[in-house]
Amino acid sequence: MTDPGRYDYCGLFLRGASHEAAIELTARAIGVTPDGCLLRVGTIEIEIRRNDNCAPDGADFPTWPIKMDIERGNATSGQVVETVSKILTHAWQAGHDAVAACDYEDELPDHGGYPRYRD
């Protein structure tokens, strides 16, 4: 059995979409109706906000304009991985840059996206 804390949190960084577009994209990816910047799928909560650490050049993903805080709630690890995977793949298919920073990147498509943006 894995450490239960491993799936509790994920920070997902997005570049190439406005805050409003990021909310819509995420809602479509997980199949919910958006109601503000906090989306819920089961007990998983996804807060989509402008990144306080955003840098003008945005070269490194932690400085990209949109940050999603994804918290597990009581969801299973499989549900968490599936939800984050859907958000990543929808973002990439829409032509946006996306990277997930979490303890389970190895279980996500393209290892959470990090290899796509390494120099």
Side-chain angles (χ1 to χ4, degrees):
M1 179 159 172
T2 60
D3 176 18
R6 177 180 165 133
Y7 299 92
D8 288 348
Y9 175 81
C10 179
L12 194 148
F13 298 86
L14 183 68
R15 176 173 63 180
S18 68
H19 183 242
E20 295 76 21
I23 292 169
E24 289 296 324
L25 177 136
T26 305
R28 279 193 311 275
I30 60 174
V32 301
T33 302
D35 183 22
C37 64
L38 182 63
L39 305 178
R40 290 182 180 89
V41 57
T43 62
I44 299 169
E45 290 189 350
I46 304 161
E47 181 182 8
I48 303 163
R49 60 184 176 82
R50 290 176 182 85
N51 187 355
D52 293 337
N53 297 318
C54 183
D57 66 358
D60 297 323
F61 72 86
T63 65
W64 290 355
I66 303 295
K67 183 176 183 208
M68 299 182 198
D69 293 311
I70 303 169
E71 296 186 5
R72 174 185 194 168
N74 293 323
T76 66
S77 58
Q79 290 168 325
V80 173
V81 170
E82 178 183 6
T83 298
V84 175
S85 295
K86 286 179 180 179
I87 297 168
L88 284 171
T89 56
H90 272 72
W92 296 332
Q93 289 169 354
H96 305 303
D97 297 326
V99 172
C102 54
D103 290 337
Y104 50 91
E105 295 164 8
D106 59 324
E107 298 178 51
L108 297 171
D110 206 7
H111 294 277
Y114 179 74
R116 293 172 170 246
Y117 309 103
R118 269 195 307 223
D119 289 335

